[in-house]
Structures are given as structure tokens and as C-alpha cells.
Amino acid sequence: MIRAVSAAQRFDSRGNPTVQVELDTELAHRTQSGKFRALVPSGASTGQHEAVELRDHDASRFGGKGVANAVANVRETIGPALVREQFDARMQLRDLDAFMCRLDGTPNKARLGANAILGVSMAFARLAAAASRMWADGDDGQGEPLYEFLRREAGADKGPYIMPVPFFNVLNGGVHSGNTMAFQEIMIAPVGATSFEEAMRMGSEVYQALKKILVEKFGSPATGVGDEGGFAPPITKPEEALDLLTAAVKSSGYTGKIAFAIDPASSEFFRDGVYDLGFKDKTADRRSPQQMQQLYQGLVNGQYPIVLLEDPFAEDDWDSWTEFNKTCGIELVGDDLLVTNVERVRMADERKACNSMLLKVNQIGTVSEAIEAANLAFSLGWGVFVSHRSGETTDDFIADLTVALGTGHLKSGAPCRGERVAKYNRLLDIEAELKALGKPCVYAGESFRFPSKL
Ligand code: PGA
Ligand code: ZN
């Protein structure tokens, strides 16, 4: 039984307030405290169609970014309702989530806040995992790992456990850093590793090699990092970024084993029908949607091993998405385009706009709706790419979710900064645990896009 639901204002990796939720239960004999917590992340390049992150907009506190109202909504509205309805761990996560959506009563969680609702949803998943063997024979009092609970919740409990390819965002631009690169994320993906552990070694070594190259080329100030732990050197063009990565991969000895990916996060620089690549330093570099398509096609067909493009076009520039999807030949991921929302996924399917969905739990605001969106994407034959947010916390929930869904890939920033490596470290723990238990466990590797074939 949930005895009490509390919430508090805590901080994210950008130093902004965020919501922490704690469920107080009678499971104290099973876990150390019987308390289950979750911390909610927050984006910077936020899609217009995302569920509403409730901020106080009181300019005298935290520049308007306080979350006192969202915290109060957990304490005063959601919490008492869950206690009143006697929600306990035997309830389905999806029933709890549907209940909170009804309590909110808006289509986009604008009343209670997706940040308030998501915190409760995540904490409840942890509670349900801890309690899940309560009624089973041989209960050891530990419950089950979160990934195991979520795997059943997603109906994905057949076949081997799939460890994801980590896509490390090692060069930061866009609204995530102070340099002049318009594109937000340039990522490396160790597709040629044979385990998650080896992929982490490759990512870490390339990251350190890249740091050395940046010092030689630009001097030590170029090694400052952006919001997601990647470096933010004084570069502007994507080719400069990709050349730096090529050199770092080569000097680490991993040529042929590491692929590249780009998230331009182009909704951030789409203005009046054109893409303003000079938006950061106010230089004149405005491109039409057709010119952007040519730029991307040139990069994809060129010398770089690019396997994935995310949000190359703005969230409502549907025609460009559809046109490009006909020929691009690689994984084309919708982030702001889809906002982890089944309605947007269906729209994109009708228009044949992309072939993969980015999954961010706080874009939709409950764990079960995010799982539903992932299952819809899988059923369309799409890829699913799990993602952190640029404003993160040390909460590692998405690591378990990635293994549970078997998505084959995730992005959690560079292998640097505590809130980024929290997820990677959790995945290392999961891989070690699965191996120790003798469970079938495969690293997605080159099959990251269609892991169900493994
Ligand atoms: P955000 O960036 O968390 O700032 O939205 C991540 C992304 O665009 O993928
Ligand atoms: Zn994105």
C-alpha cells in the first residue's frame, strides 16, 4: 500500500529546479527503507508538441523556472488521490498512469504537469519491481530488477536480453553549448564492440583521444564541455566535427568499429521556412529545406560512417521529412517530430516521414505511454532510440527501460559528467548481473536498429 506520496524541488544538471517524488510504502521489510524515489529530467531543445512541463513562471524565483506548483500538485492532488484510491503494488502501472491522466484532465498534462505525473509514474515502477515477488513462491524479499519488471510490462519478456549500443554525444553544439556550431549533437557509436563493457571502453578512449586532439588544435580552453558532457570547441561546420571524430577514432585504433550519428535538433533554427545555420553567431547562412536535404545527403553519401540522423528537419516541416525519407537510406529518427506520442507516430507513419522514434519519457509524461509509443513504433518496423534529456539528474531509470524494451541503442551524452555516466554505469551493472545469472544477453552491435532479429 502507498502510505504517502511526497515531492520536493531538487536540481538538474543545468542547475535548474526539477521534481523529485517519493512513494512511502509498507515494504520496509523488503527494501532498506520502503521508500521509492524518482527524479525528473528536463530538455532545452524542447519540442512544441511535448507534454507540458509545469514551471512556476514567477520571475523572482529561479528566473521563473521553479517547480513549486508541480511539487504541490504531487503533494496535494496526486498523492492524496492515490492514497484515497488505495493504490498498491498489485495495481498495473498502466492503470496508475491512466488514473493520473484522468485526474489531470487535459490532453497534454497541462494542469498537473508532466513533470509531476512522470515522477510518480517512475517511482511507482520502482515500487512495483521491488514488490513483484511478494506473492510468489521463494520470495527472497528483494523484489526484481527494474528492467525485469518493465520488460514484462512492455510484453517484451521473450528472447534474449539486448544490451544497447551507446551513442555518445562527444561534440556539443546548438542550444547545448556556447560555440558556434548550429548542429546540436555529433555522436559516436561503437557498433563493432562485442559487449556493452567493450563499447564503454571504446567510447571512453575515443573521448580522451578527442580531448588531446582538441588541445593540440585549439588549445586547452577548447576542452570545456557542453550540457551533455561533449566538448564544445570553436567549430561551426558539421564536416569539421566529423573530421575531428575521424581523427580521434583513428588515433584510438578503432577505425571501422565506430559509427557516427548527428542530431542537428533543427527545430531550434527553423525560422520562416528556412534553416538558419548562422543562428548562434548571427552570420548569414540560411538554407532552404531543399538545401538542407542536399547537405545531409552529401554527409551521408560522403566519407563518414554516418548511420543515424535525428531531427534533420523541424517538427512541422513534414514535407521535407517525407521527401528525405524516400532516399536517405539510414536510420531517420523523429524526436521533436514525434515527442514519444502515439498520435504523432501515427501521423508520421501515414506520411512516411521517418523510420525510427526517439523515446524520452518526459516528452509524454508517463512510463506506460512511453512504452506504448515504443511498441507502436516496433510494430511499424521502426527503430526505437532511447534518450536522456540535456537537463538530467543522476536518476538512471532509462538504463533499465532500454534493456526492458530491447531497443538496441540509447543516447545518454558523452562518457563524462555524473548524470550522463549514471545511465552507462547502470547498464554496466545490468550486463554484469545478467552474465552472472547466466541469462541470455547479447550486445546489439551492428543490429542496433533492428535488435529483434538478434
Ligand atoms: P533536449 O535535447 O533534451 O535539450 O531536448 C536532446 C535532444 O534534442 O535529443
Ligand atoms: Zn533530438
Side-chain angles (χ1 to χ4, degrees):
M1 195 82 83
I2 297 173
R3 283 199 291 235
V5 182
S6 60
Q9 183 166 284
R10 294 291 180 259
F11 289 87
D12 73 15
S13 58
R14 264 194 289 261
N16 289 321
T18 191
V19 177
Q20 175 176 274
V21 171
E22 184 176 280
L23 301 182
D24 188 357
T25 74
E26 61 202 4
L27 292 174
H29 65 291
R30 299 171 54 83
T31 67
Q32 281 190 340
S33 65
K35 294 183 165 59
F36 299 89
R37 279 187 177 176
L39 277 157
V40 176
S42 169
S45 58
T46 309
Q48 276 182 37
H49 306 285
E50 292 191 22
V52 174
E53 177 183 75
L54 202 63
R55 296 276 177 192
D56 298 340
H57 301 295
D58 168 359
S60 69
R61 291 173 61 80
F62 302 108
K65 292 194 176 211
V67 291
N69 291 327
V71 164
N73 288 342
V74 176
R75 284 193 194 146
E76 292 161 21
T77 305
I78 300 174
L82 298 193
V83 173
R84 197 170 53 238
E85 298 284 323
Q86 301 191 326
F87 266 92
D88 72 18
R90 282 165 294 186
M91 301 286 184
Q92 297 277 328
L93 176 61
R94 67 182 74 97
D95 293 338
L96 169 91
D97 289 345
F99 175 78
M100 289 193 288
C101 290
R102 282 196 302 278
L103 197 61
D104 174 79
T106 71
N108 55 358
K109 304 182 177 66
R111 188 172 83 88
L112 298 173
N115 42 352
I117 292 171
L118 178 65
V120 178
S121 180
M122 289 164 70
F124 183 82
R126 289 200 163 106
L127 155 65
S132 67
R133 284 188 205 150
M134 194 168 220
W135 306 278
D137 290 342
D139 179 8
D140 61 2
Q142 296 298 314
E144 65 182 347
L146 181 58
Y147 62 83
E148 197 70 59
F149 167 77
L150 291 171
R151 199 166 130 99
R152 269 192 287 102
E153 199 63 28
D157 48 345
K158 317 226 164 27
Y161 294 80
I162 294 162
M163 295 306 298
V165 173
F167 279 58
F168 298 108
N169 178 15
V170 293
L171 286 171
N172 292 186
V175 298
H176 291 172
S177 85
N179 66 4
T180 57
M181 184 165 74
F183 285 10
Q184 181 177 282
E185 303 173 20
I186 315 283
M187 294 172 265
I188 53 169
V191 292
T194 54
S195 65
F196 185 78
E197 188 180 8
E198 193 190 0
M200 287 306 300
R201 177 179 159 195
M202 289 183 179
S204 162
E205 289 177 4
V206 173
Y207 184 74
Q208 303 305 341
L210 179 61
K211 187 171 187 175
K212 279 204 191 94
I213 291 169
L214 292 176
V215 172
E216 281 159 22
K217 216 170 158 158
F218 305 103
S220 54
T223 61
V225 299
D227 285 354
E228 299 192 349
F231 301 111
I235 56 173
T236 305
K237 292 193 172 68
E239 290 87 349
E240 292 174 271
L242 295 164
D243 287 341
L244 286 167
L245 295 194
T246 304
V249 169
K250 186 165 179 235
S251 87
S252 314
Y254 292 130
T255 302
K257 292 192 168 178
I258 295 194
F260 297 165
I262 306 176
D263 177 7
S266 66
S267 302
E268 291 302 311
F269 50 85
F270 186 61
R271 278 159 216 168
D272 307 324
V274 292
Y275 291 89
D276 182 4
L277 291 181
F279 84 108
K280 293 186 76 178
D281 57 354
K282 309 272 182 288
T283 51
D285 189 2
R286 291 154 66 82
R287 313 270 180 118
S288 67
Q290 290 73 23
Q291 287 171 322
M292 289 304 283
Q293 283 191 45
Q294 285 158 11
L295 186 149
Y296 295 130
Q297 205 66 61
L299 291 173
V300 171
N301 296 344
Q303 54 181 309
Y304 310 108
I306 298 171
V307 293
L308 179 154
L309 263 179
E310 178 184 325
D311 277 3
F313 305 103
E315 53 211 338
D316 292 311
D317 185 10
W318 288 99
D319 292 346
S320 298
W321 279 93
T322 302
E323 194 56 34
F324 189 67
N325 192 30
K326 287 181 191 152
T327 54
C328 82
I330 60 168
E331 184 169 359
L332 188 56
V333 184
D335 172 8
D336 292 355
L337 182 77
L338 305 175
V339 294
T340 320
N341 181 320
V342 288
E343 299 306 324
R344 300 278 299 180
V345 172
R346 286 202 187 96
M347 275 165 81
D349 176 48
E350 271 163 31
R351 296 170 192 232
K352 298 280 163 272
C354 61
N355 57 37
S356 183
M357 183 192 87
L358 197 77
L359 187 158
K360 288 168 166 169
V361 279
N362 80 324
Q363 278 183 327
I364 188 68
T366 64
V367 176
S368 48
E369 286 171 288
I371 290 173
E372 190 190 347
N375 280 338
L376 173 60
F378 284 138
S379 74
L380 298 171
W382 289 11
V384 174
F385 188 28
V386 175
S387 172
H388 62 159
R389 297 308 303 246
S390 53
E392 260 297 335
T393 72
T394 47
D395 192 304
D396 55 12
F397 191 94
I398 60 167
D400 286 71
L401 184 62
T402 302
V403 176
L405 291 170
T407 62
H409 50 340
L410 100 158
K411 61 171 190 173
S412 178
C416 168
R417 292 182 59 143
E419 75 283 2
R420 310 297 147 191
V421 298
K423 283 69 164 174
Y424 296 134
N425 284 337
R426 171 67 185 147
L427 283 161
L428 286 167
D429 285 344
I430 293 174
E431 185 175 65
E433 177 171 284
L434 289 170
K435 286 188 175 162
L437 291 170
K439 302 227 176 184
C441 165
V442 268
Y443 176 63
E446 302 274 0
S447 304
F448 64 88
R449 198 173 154 192
F450 301 112
S452 62
K453 301 216 165 90
L454 284 165

